[in-house]
Amino acid sequence: MRKVSQKKSSSDELSVISEESCGCSVDGQSCTITSMVEAGEPAASDDKEFSRRRFLSLLGAAAGAAAVIGSGIELLSYRAYAQGLPQTNGWTGNSGVTGSGAATMASSEAPPTHQWAMVIDLSMCNGCKSCTAACQKAHYLTPDQTWIDVFTLTDAEGKTYPMPRPCMQCENPPCLHVCPVHATFRQDQGVVLVDQERCIGCRMCMAACPYQARYFNWNSNVQYPKLSVPPSPEMPVPQRLGTVGKCTFCVGNLNNGLLSECAAGCPMGAIYNGDLKTDVAVNSLGSTVKLSSFLYDNNAVTFKPEQNTHPRVWYIQGDGQDLNDNKASQSS
Amino acid sequence: MKEMEINEKALLAEDGGGKAAQTGWSAEVRRAAVAPMTGKTSTTWKLIVAVCSLFVLAGIGTWLYQLKHGLGAAGYNDQAFWAVYIVDVIAFIGVSYGGAVISAILRLTGQSWRAPLTRLAEGTALVTVAIGALYIFPHLGRPERFWEIVVFVNTSSPLFWDFIAIGTYVLATVIFFYLPLVPDMAIVNRMLGKKNRPIQYKVYNLLSLKWLGTEKQRRLLHGAMSLVALIIVPLAVSVHSVLSWAFATTSRPGWMETVFPPYFVVAALYSGTALVIVVASAFRKGYHLEKYIHTRHFVRLGYVMAAMGLVYAYLTLADLLSEGYTGITSGWIYQTVLGRWAIPFWFYVVVGEVMPIALVAVKRTRNIKGMTIASLGVVISLWIKRIVIVLPPVTQPLIGNQWGTYHFTWVSVTITLAGVAAIPLGLMLLFRVLPVLSIDEMEEMGEIGSTEQISEFTAAAEKRLAVGATNGNGHANGNVNGHSNGDAVPVTQGEVQ
Ligand code: SF4
Ligand code: SF4
């Protein structure tokens, strides 16, 4: 399982990996793969892309020893976190429910069977913003409310590349710490949610989020269709005027064995939904990977690690891309 | 002391009788302080109150509109999520801080010249802190849930501490305003009787805590006042520091600045001193206090203001220089100094720093008019300066390079103007029911507050005491004095020094 899964054009390999991954989910939860396989046609393989990825994966394997020091430690620590083992990096984790608002949200008495995560493969993203559109459609967002937004950053050669940014579902979320009424809370699967029935609309969380990931309901003229289910923090539709909203990771979808809307909507398969517990990640093309080795082998990084937020979203960077290069990620 | 009050009462009741002359300066003070409370109001007064009320009503109406249509109506958006209303909170609470601290520091340092100014300063503090605290409501997306802050306490939120700090400070300001009023309310009741104001009379009677001016009462009052003055200074510092930490505890470049707490505190002092000057200047003219508030009051306050201005300029430089020099996260600095916020920023530099400090520095302009113009410049440009502190960092992108924009709309402008109009309105209504001068304090401090005057006053007071001892049934209008047996208590002037 050390091998990077580059299954875009090989359905045979895909099924092999799928079986393996299914074997991973020992806790009896229906494996998310079923939905993944049917989720999308494998996109036509781009040879150049493919070879570059191959190259990267080889590079990853070759640089393995060195990488253990770098991303390896990070990786080990999140694995340890997922399995409830002692932490190695000092951060003890916000395991489980945080915030009193969560009292209404504790979804199960049993220990959580999933710890949701996401991997965004920047080398695959073509900047089409299908993720944004799919998310906005599913959540009836206004054009301004880009719960997953696609930013444009600059790589080492001065070329621009697209960078999708959902809520990072931080394990140490500044938005949660500053909320005066615990309207922002972290449910037991690690997803940070907002209780719009409690939010007082102070926007302190918007000030605190280092990723610009929160979007307010500024105007009353938003039209929502009649919906059968009442709004909940997991699915805040219709949203309440004067409260804050953000990416929910589509945690309802995930728990029903479905991909998040953005992942499902991505034609390039650049967005993987992952689960730290079962150590699986899947994208819309049906690529199923072992999450830990996928991250490890691709030198995955989190965005703005200096913010000490411990995101649950990892990025795989393409050639020359450096997400945490200040000049690229912060404008002057 | 009784003798004089009865004279005053008679004087006021008969609208200008001749008996007052004998009580001299003290009677004049009383008359001047109480004059706005009695009789008919002038047309100008009515006009100003009407116009200001209109503005306030328009603001309240606009707020209701905003409640219905959302904060988007006030120009807010996701890349300008904090803007005008938080600036209003900071600016109004800031000017209040100035009034309170100026008064408290002058009290603590025993500056006797303060006496004619304290009531105005503390009244300004009271009115503006109330307005500033109220701006939290248009700032919130769902103000009707405000109570949740107390119920679902999150001690790790800066806003919880903001709430605690502002709440404590409002309370302290009320007490600080109230304490010097205790003797004054007794005086007012004795002067005005209860014939035409039975309810007010009762309330003042209650609030004056059976004040007779006994030595023990004075000692208690002075102790309490010193204590509150002592408390209110660090409290005000903490309020503005905590307010600044709502910004500085985020990781936003331009807000996460170590300089922010003193930066906010000094801005508050600076603009607060300026507003005290403006208010004193306006009421001096409008309420005919020329006799008590002199050029030297303005000049001294002007010195304080200029000193604060220099410190504030220094802190502004400190805020901008290091980050601007390294240039790492300095997009907001460029936008502030040279970019789209350059005009308001340089307006602050010229009108909020250079102009007022020059007016204080040049001897020719060191007069009431000069100080008033300087202070007006400071008050206005410091509001604008807060806009420049809030908006560039909030519109600066944290990812990519798409800057946000904030547009002032009629909603935010109307609601802000309502607060501006509420200051004169609040003060004028306040001094319709309470004396505009701190009578008791002025009497204690003497005519112009110098020590010679105090001893002169002491002698006069002793004389009055001697006369007052025989008093007890001289109530011209047959009013029952709430403290009618006070004459038996020897009133000494031991506290005067
Ligand atoms: S990305 Fe922002 S909104 Fe999401 S959990 Fe982290 S701090 Fe909160
Ligand atoms: S806007 Fe809502 S969720 Fe955000 S900090 Fe304020 S109360 Fe909490």
Side-chain angles (χ1 to χ4, degrees):
Chain A
M1 285 304 292
R2 251 321 182 64
K3 196 174 51 160
V4 181
S5 310
Q6 272 307 315
K7 310 308 161 238
K8 251 167 71 169
S9 53
S10 163
S11 48
D12 287 352
E13 253 181 306
L14 168 69
S15 58
V16 172
I17 301 289
S18 297
E19 275 165 29
E20 275 182 28
S21 303
C22 273
C24 293
S25 57
V26 286
D27 41 20
Q29 273 283 328
S30 80
C31 179
T32 46
I33 278 81
T34 44
S35 58
M36 315 306 175
V37 175
E38 51 177 53
E41 290 259 75
S45 167
D46 177 339
D47 282 348
K48 212 170 96 214
E49 182 76 357
F50 182 74
S51 63
R52 183 165 64 128
R53 302 275 307 144
R54 276 299 294 258
F55 171 72
L56 270 181
S57 67
L58 288 171
L59 191 72
V68 170
I69 312 292
S71 67
I73 296 222
E74 185 68 23
L75 195 61
L76 287 173
S77 68
Y78 91 74
R79 286 293 296 148
Y81 166 76
Q83 290 163 357
L85 298 173
Q87 297 292 297
T88 53
N89 63 351
W91 164 244
T92 51
N94 259 330
S95 52
V97 182
T98 316
S100 72
T104 56
M105 261 308 293
S107 49
S108 61
E109 297 75 29
T113 48
H114 298 289
Q115 288 296 328
W116 299 118
M118 184 181 274
V119 188
I120 297 178
D121 190 342
L122 294 177
S123 65
M124 306 292 266
C125 175
N126 67 0
C128 69
K129 302 200 181 188
S130 304
C131 51
T132 312
C135 171
Q136 290 185 325
K137 186 157 170 277
H139 299 104
Y140 302 93
L141 302 179
T142 66
D144 286 351
Q145 291 172 328
T146 45
W147 284 2
I148 180 163
D149 200 353
V150 182
F151 290 89
T152 305
L153 304 186
T154 313
D155 69 9
E157 291 162 19
K159 281 194 307 225
T160 58
Y161 65 96
M163 187 278 219
R165 186 253 33 212
C167 165
M168 302 290 162
Q169 311 298 348
C170 309
E171 292 182 1
N172 184 21
C175 60
L176 182 151
H177 300 318
V178 300
C179 178
V181 295
H182 297 289
T184 293
F185 61 97
R186 202 162 167 265
Q187 48 88 287
D188 53 1
Q189 297 171 324
V191 178
V192 178
L193 296 174
V194 181
D195 183 352
Q196 295 194 339
E197 293 305 311
R198 180 179 289 191
C199 170
I200 60 171
C202 63
R203 313 188 285 294
M204 190 68 220
C205 52
M206 300 180 76
C209 172
Y211 305 100
Q212 231 170 280
R214 288 181 161 249
Y215 295 86
F216 203 70
N217 292 297
W218 299 110
N219 293 305
S220 60
N221 56 9
V222 187
Q223 299 295 326
Y224 291 99
K226 271 258 170 298
L227 293 152
S228 50
V229 248
S232 66
E234 289 188 1
M235 187 63 179
V237 181
Q239 292 196 71
R240 292 290 298 264
L241 176 72
T243 66
V244 83
K246 70 165 190 69
C247 161
T248 63
F249 243 30
C250 292
V251 62
N253 283 18
L254 298 180
N255 282 327
N256 286 321
L258 297 169
L259 287 179
S260 67
E261 300 291 338
C262 53
C266 176
M268 307 301 290
I271 302 177
Y272 291 74
N273 289 129
D275 175 13
L276 299 177
K277 276 250 154 149
T278 53
D279 201 16
V280 180
V282 192
N283 71 358
S284 64
L285 304 183
S287 295
T288 307
V289 296
K290 186 164 157 57
L291 178 58
S292 50
S293 29
F294 187 53
L295 297 174
Y296 178 81
D297 293 339
N298 288 292
N299 285 322
V301 297
T302 54
F303 188 32
K304 303 194 183 188
E306 76 280 3
Q307 297 281 353
N308 199 33
T309 51
H310 298 261
R312 279 276 179 96
V313 177
W314 279 267
Y315 287 89
I316 293 172
Q317 306 176 103
D319 271 341
Q321 297 175 355
D322 185 357
L323 210 53
N324 292 307
D325 171 12
N326 265 336
K327 277 206 284 303
S329 63
Q330 281 179 348
S331 94
S332 56
Chain B
M1 281 180 91
K2 282 293 146 62
E3 183 69 47
M4 188 195 61
E5 283 115 31
I6 290 153
N7 283 339
E8 277 290 323
K9 187 174 71 177
L11 166 86
L12 285 161
E14 292 150 22
D15 197 23
K19 277 193 252 171
Q22 69 195 58
T23 58
W25 183 77
S26 187
E28 276 173 37
V29 169
R30 294 184 174 208
R31 188 156 15 126
V34 173
M37 299 170 60
T38 59
K40 282 212 290 270
T41 52
S42 71
T43 334
T44 329
W45 193 91
K46 286 192 187 111
L47 200 71
I48 296 175
V49 166
V51 170
C52 291
S53 309
L54 269 184
F55 269 99
V56 171
L57 286 178
I60 294 172
T62 310
W63 178 52
L64 295 176
Y65 173 90
Q66 179 191 294
L67 273 185
K68 184 160 184 294
H69 292 266
L71 271 161
Y76 283 72
N77 59 67
D78 290 312
Q79 263 187 287
F81 54 82
W82 280 357
V84 173
Y85 300 138
I86 196 132
V87 168
D88 289 334
V89 172
I90 299 166
F92 281 96
I93 294 183
V95 287
S96 137
Y97 173 23
V101 167
I102 286 293
S103 175
I105 289 180
L106 295 183
R107 271 223 168 90
L108 288 173
T109 52
Q111 300 291 320
S112 56
W113 57 275
R114 71 172 193 260
L117 289 175
T118 47
R119 178 65 38 79
L120 279 172
E122 286 151 19
T124 310
L126 185 75
V127 169
T128 47
V129 79
I131 300 169
L134 284 178
Y135 270 106
I136 291 168
F137 292 106
H139 173 72
L140 291 181
R142 296 212 78 94
E144 80 277 13
R145 296 179 184 169
F146 185 71
W147 54 271
E148 292 182 353
I149 291 186
V150 197
V151 179
F152 305 117
V153 173
N154 179 8
T155 48
S156 72
S157 169
L159 289 194
F160 171 74
W161 295 106
D162 271 351
F163 173 75
I164 296 287
I166 294 175
T168 325
Y169 177 63
V170 169
L171 199 70
T173 314
V174 171
I175 296 174
F176 196 53
F177 180 73
Y178 165 66
L179 283 180
L181 266 176
V182 169
D184 282 15
M185 281 193 284
I187 292 171
V188 166
N189 260 2
R190 268 174 265 166
M191 282 168 71
L192 299 184
K194 72 168 167 187
K195 198 167 158 201
N196 297 317
R197 46 191 277 284
I199 298 172
Q200 200 186 47
Y201 185 90
K202 263 209 190 94
V203 174
Y204 285 18
N205 210 357
L206 218 75
L207 290 177
S208 62
L209 308 173
K210 299 207 191 311
W211 175 264
L212 295 169
T214 62
E215 192 184 355
K216 194 176 155 218
Q217 284 183 328
R218 276 190 189 280
R219 216 177 26 242
L220 265 173
L221 182 73
H222 282 242
M225 266 170 12
S226 303
L227 187 69
V228 178
L230 210 60
I231 290 172
I232 208 160
V233 176
L235 196 62
V237 170
S238 80
V239 172
H240 251 65
S241 302
V242 175
L243 269 181
S244 84
W245 280 320
F247 295 89
T249 55
T250 70
S251 61
R252 223 158 247 274
W255 282 359
M256 192 180 62
E257 307 286 323
T258 42
V259 79
F260 256 36
Y263 199 27
F264 274 50
V265 170
V266 173
L269 268 181
Y270 187 30
S271 59
T273 318
L275 189 68
V276 170
I277 295 180
V278 174
V279 167
S281 169
F283 277 83
R284 177 179 184 270
K285 253 226 148 82
Y287 281 48
H288 311 295
L289 307 175
E290 288 93 342
K291 222 169 155 184
Y292 314 103
I293 306 177
H294 305 284
T295 307
R296 63 173 196 149
H297 288 116
F298 289 88
V299 171
R300 283 181 184 178
L301 286 179
Y303 288 153
V304 176
M305 181 178 78
M308 288 300 148
L310 288 172
V311 178
Y312 190 64
Y314 164 69
L315 290 174
T316 304
L317 183 73
D319 182 34
L320 297 179
L321 186 70
S322 50
E323 240 176 283
Y325 188 85
T326 58
I328 292 173
T329 52
S330 58
W332 65 276
I333 296 181
Y334 178 82
Q335 294 294 345
T336 301
V337 180
L338 298 168
R340 81 171 80 178
W341 303 103
I343 293 175
F345 177 76
W346 290 102
F347 179 88
Y348 145 75
V349 172
V350 175
V351 182
E353 290 283 2
V354 177
M355 189 268 287
I357 290 174
L359 285 178
V360 174
V362 177
K363 193 144 194 270
R364 270 195 51 196
T365 53
R366 216 180 291 149
N367 50 36
I368 296 179
K369 208 165 164 200
M371 293 303 102
T372 309
I373 293 171
S375 317
L376 263 179
V378 170
V379 172
I380 294 168
S381 59
L382 269 247
W383 187 87
I384 291 170
K385 178 71 199 305
R386 263 75 162 244
I387 283 281
V388 175
I389 288 177
V390 170
L391 281 185
V394 80
T395 51
Q396 169 159 348
L398 297 178
I399 316 169
N401 48 21
Q402 199 65 46
W403 279 76
T405 46
Y406 178 79
H407 296 290
F408 289 87
T409 65
W410 66 271
V411 173
S412 56
V413 172
T414 314
I415 293 182
T416 301
L417 285 182
V420 176
I423 298 179
L425 181 66
L427 284 173
M428 285 165 82
L429 294 181
L430 194 66
F431 296 133
R432 182 79 180 138
V433 293
L434 292 169
V436 66
L437 296 172
S438 191
I439 303 173
D440 190 63
E441 210 166 5
M442 282 182 76
E443 287 176 351
E444 267 186 23
M445 292 304 144
E447 186 159 345
I448 51 169
S450 62
T451 33
E452 313 92 77
Q453 296 293 344
I454 292 176
S455 49
E456 216 172 85
F457 166 75
T458 315
E462 270 158 15
K463 215 168 80 201
R464 283 203 300 278
L465 255 183
V467 180
T470 59
N471 154 295
N473 46 15
H475 302 262
N477 292 339
N479 292 326
V480 177
N481 189 317
H483 322 280
S484 55
N485 295 322
D487 44 327
V489 185
V491 181
T492 67
Q493 299 297 321
E495 299 291 316
V496 167
Q497 286 79 8

